[in-house]
């Protein structure tokens, strides 16, 4: 439940900020995060003042989190995670298949790295996840079990993992995805071998292993009021009636643009009324790619609405996005033709969605950061031959403030590649291209333009990109 007193986490954060400041004073700062500090630009990032989601969220009494990949927690990725978020969830590193691939043999390296990082940055940790039908090691999913033998394996696993991190995890997703869409129980190995009671037994084992952690049941497609969320509601009700330790429900919220459930807030409220906390645990909002500026603007409104729904209910503890950057999102791998689901683009530039979250958390920009209309881009293929082409791009500053240093980003729809550029530095990663100013053309006054050109290669088609962002803000293009 939300409180107003300073929690141990806040104290830890205050301590880490003081330490960072102290190390700057003695000239000892070595990491990007310590050097940049909360609220300032990290390496390769926009120099202008950006809202800091973790500070805005804390002021509203919630946390704002992200799923992370442990191996990426350095450089720009690590700097953004530390600056912007006050809770992290390991995307994969605490799953059974990661930590206990063979029976009794544990590998804690990834999970340890995430917990250590969180403590160094004053962040909460969502432990994810102890009992789930997926990403299980073969020895569990393909074992031949009786109720008794699997119960022992399951509770041993919970004791080992939750016990290892005792006192260091704020929220545990103890059981993940126990329901089918119609609200019946998913026929996981735990359900079929042990029966309905495996959920209560898991929660009791987790409480015994780490009494301070808040224990959650987490699922997807339970954001609105529907058969599945009603089954979750009935489960929580019955667990509470039996005195089983259950503190909260996680609504994953893997959403599709244009399909945010209208009953989201009412659904959060009905769980709160039952006497449990609620969290949005895996938020992303996917769209067809490449995104248009209209889609990015709609996504901004939807991130704002989801964050607002959590804020509107006192027992909603926080929101976690499932990856903060489009370069660390599961969506394109699983949903062909979909992506752009997170608040930052593939080059760590904040998207309109990021400003939507900030606005929901009370930030205002004084009108200097409209999501559209701040820039206008023309992209013209001037000549084209065999498999090559030459193009010219003009970016006009249509806002009322000067641009001092710019990055123009787009995604190529047809596999084109940059081979050579002039008047800008172009880098490409997959389909994502970023054109950075060449120094002498870094400043673009209101109403003025910068133009650059490049040669590229193409095969099959040379369709122009349809969406551009300038320093993370969507541009119009004819
Ligand atoms: O983000 C995770 C991805 O890297 C894994 O490949 C995937 C395997 O299922 O799991 C992803 O995370 C899932 C989370 O643990 C539970 N809810 C759904 C998430 C997306 O699949």
């Amino acid at each position: 439940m939300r409180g107003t007193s300073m929690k141990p986490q806040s104290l830890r954060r205050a301590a880490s900020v003081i330490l960072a400041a102290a190390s700057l004073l003695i000239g000892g700062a070595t990491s990007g995060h310590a050097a940049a500090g909360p609220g300032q630009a990290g390496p390769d990032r926009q120099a202008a003042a950006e809202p800091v989601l973790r500070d805005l969220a804390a002021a509203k009494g919630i946390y704002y989190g992200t799923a992370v990949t442990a191996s990426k927690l350095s450089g720009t990725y690590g700097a953004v995670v530390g600056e912007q978020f006050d809770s992290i969830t390991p995307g994969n590193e605490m799953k059974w298949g990661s930590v206990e691939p063979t029976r009794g043999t544990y590998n804690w390296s990834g999970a340890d790295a995430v917990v250590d990082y969180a403590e160094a940055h004053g962040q909460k940790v969502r432990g994810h996840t102890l009992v789930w039908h997926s990403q299980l090691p073969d020895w569990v999913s393909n074992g031949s079990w009786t109720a008794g033998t699997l119960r022992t394996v399951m509770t041993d696993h919970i004791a080992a993992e939750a016990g290892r991190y005792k006192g260091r995890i704020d929220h545990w997703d103890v059981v993940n995805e126990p329901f089918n869409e119609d609200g019946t129980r998913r026929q996981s190995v735990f359900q079929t071998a042990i029966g309905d009671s495996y959920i209560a037994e898991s929660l009791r084992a987790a409480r015994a292993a780490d009494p301070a952690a808040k224990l959650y049941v987490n699922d997807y497609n339970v954001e609105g009021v529907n058969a599945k969320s009603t089954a979750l509601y009935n489960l929580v009700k019955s667990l509470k009636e039996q005195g089983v330790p259950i503190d909260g429900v996680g609504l994953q919220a893997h959403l599709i643009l244009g399909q945010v459930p209208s009953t989201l807030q009412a659904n959060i409220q009905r769980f709160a009324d039952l006497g449990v906390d609620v969290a949005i645990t895996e938020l992303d909002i996917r769209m067809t790619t490449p995104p248009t500026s209209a889609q990015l603007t709609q996504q901004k409104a939807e991130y704002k609405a989801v964050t607002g729904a959590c804020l509107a209910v006192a027992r909603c503890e926080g929101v976690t996005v499932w990856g903060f950057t489009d370069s660390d999102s599961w969506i394109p791998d699983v949903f062909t033709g979909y992506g752009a689901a997170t608040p930052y683009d593939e080059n760590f530039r904040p998207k309109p969605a990021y400003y939507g979250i900030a606005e929901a958390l009370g930030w205002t920009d004084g009108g200097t950061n409209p999501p559209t209309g701040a820039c206008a881009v023309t992209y013209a293929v001037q000549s084209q031959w065999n498999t090559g082409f030459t193009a010219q791009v003009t970016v006009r500053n249509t806002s009322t403030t000067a641009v001092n240093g710019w990055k123009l980003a787009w995604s190529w729809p047809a596999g084109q590649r940059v081979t050579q550029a002039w008047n800008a530095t172009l880098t490409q990663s997959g389909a994502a291209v970023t054109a950075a100013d060449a120094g002498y053309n870094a400043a673009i006054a209101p109403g003025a333009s910068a133009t650059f050109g490049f040669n590229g290669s193409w095969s099959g088609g040379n369709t122009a990109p349809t969406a551009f962002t300038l320093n993370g803000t969507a541009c119009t293009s004819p």
Side-chain angles (χ1 to χ4, degrees):
M1 210 165 170
R2 258 182 245 169
T4 48
S5 61
M6 201 169 197
K7 297 177 189 161
Q9 288 289 353
S10 317
L11 290 169
R12 279 217 296 273
R13 171 149 197 253
S16 79
V17 170
I18 291 164
L19 282 174
S23 66
L24 275 176
L25 283 175
I26 59 170
T30 50
S31 81
H33 172 63
Q40 296 175 33
D44 191 34
R45 299 187 47 233
Q46 193 172 1
E50 290 170 0
V52 178
L53 302 182
R54 60 184 291 168
D55 292 346
L56 294 167
K60 294 280 185 189
I62 66 170
Y63 67 82
Y64 226 92
T66 181
V68 296
T69 298
S71 60
K72 296 182 181 174
L73 284 169
S74 60
T76 304
Y77 182 99
V80 177
V81 171
E83 286 169 17
Q84 293 287 339
F85 299 98
D86 57 357
S87 176
I88 56 177
T89 307
N92 288 300
E93 293 81 352
M94 284 186 171
K95 291 172 180 172
W96 199 325
S98 302
V99 301
E100 197 185 3
T102 54
R103 189 168 186 173
T105 306
Y106 296 96
N107 176 1
W108 303 112
S109 56
D112 282 356
V114 172
V115 175
D116 290 347
Y117 181 95
E119 289 179 351
H121 294 83
Q123 296 166 315
K124 297 179 194 296
V125 180
R126 279 201 81 87
H128 178 82
T129 174
L130 295 169
V131 179
W132 186 30
H133 68 279
S134 183
Q135 289 180 281
L136 277 176
D138 279 351
W139 69 269
V140 177
S141 45
N142 297 328
S144 58
W145 305 108
T146 64
T149 56
L150 187 58
R151 182 181 294 116
T152 301
V153 159
M154 182 181 80
T155 52
D156 283 355
H157 172 74
I158 293 169
E161 181 156 10
R164 178 178 179 85
Y165 298 107
K166 181 181 179 181
R168 303 173 73 192
I169 303 288
D170 297 86
H171 308 99
W172 261 116
D173 291 333
V174 177
V175 176
N176 196 35
E177 304 176 358
F179 290 108
N180 293 316
E181 296 306 291
D182 64 0
T184 57
R185 287 289 187 95
R186 182 192 291 278
Q187 294 302 298
S188 67
V189 63
F190 307 104
Q191 178 72 34
T192 51
I194 303 172
D196 283 353
S197 66
Y198 87 90
I199 295 180
E201 289 163 10
S202 299
L203 290 160
R204 288 197 171 103
R207 180 66 98 228
D210 186 354
K214 289 204 176 172
L215 307 182
Y216 273 62
V217 175
N218 192 50
D219 214 326
Y220 62 91
N221 288 350
V222 293
E223 294 75 31
V225 175
N226 57 35
K228 193 174 183 180
S229 65
T230 299
L232 179 60
Y233 179 92
N234 290 332
L235 168 71
V236 171
K237 189 162 183 287
S238 119
L239 291 171
K240 286 197 72 85
E241 282 163 5
Q242 296 167 63
V244 175
I246 170 89
D247 300 306
V249 294
L251 316 180
Q252 291 186 7
H254 294 293
L255 303 175
I256 301 170
L257 193 74
Q259 298 181 34
V260 177
S262 58
T263 50
L264 173 61
Q265 187 178 318
N267 191 43
I268 296 173
Q269 186 68 56
R270 72 169 172 158
F271 281 102
D273 292 345
L274 207 46
V276 288
D277 294 339
V278 182
I280 309 281
T281 52
E282 303 184 16
L283 176 62
D284 49 28
I285 304 179
R286 62 186 181 265
M287 61 182 73
T288 51
T289 50
T292 64
S293 55
Q295 285 175 307
L296 293 172
T297 301
Q298 184 178 351
Q299 188 188 44
K300 173 184 179 180
E302 295 183 355
Y303 265 93
K304 187 172 179 174
V306 173
T307 303
C310 178
L311 280 172
V313 180
R315 286 200 83 137
C316 186
E317 292 205 292
V319 179
T320 297
V321 294
W322 204 244
F324 69 93
T325 159
D326 290 340
S327 65
D328 191 39
S329 168
W330 67 299
I331 296 292
D333 297 337
V334 175
F335 299 100
T336 307
Y338 282 81
T342 79
Y344 283 76
D345 74 10
E346 293 174 345
N347 297 309
F348 305 112
R349 312 302 311 189
K351 289 160 57 183
Y354 162 88
Y355 294 100
I357 296 167
E359 287 175 10
L361 295 171
W363 178 78
T364 52
D365 61 1
T368 57
N369 183 51
T372 59
C375 42
V377 172
T378 52
Y379 173 105
V381 173
Q382 298 177 302
S383 61
Q384 183 169 304
W385 62 94
N386 297 336
T387 55
F389 70 105
T390 300
Q392 180 169 287
V393 180
T394 298
V395 52
R396 190 157 60 86
N397 177 1
T398 53
S399 79
T400 53
T401 54
V403 169
N404 290 308
W406 49 267
K407 287 192 173 176
L408 184 74
W410 69 83
S411 178
W412 259 330
Q416 296 100 321
R417 306 287 311 174
V418 178
T419 52
Q420 184 194 1
W422 47 94
N423 297 333
T425 304
L426 268 63
T427 50
Q428 184 168 4
S429 166
V433 182
T434 301
D437 69 72
Y440 53 81
N441 58 2
I444 314 177
S449 308
T451 296
F452 60 91
F454 61 86
N455 288 334
S457 62
W458 63 280
S459 64
N462 191 15
T463 319
T466 52
F468 297 85
T469 58
L470 180 69
N471 293 342
T473 297
C475 300
T476 57
S477 52

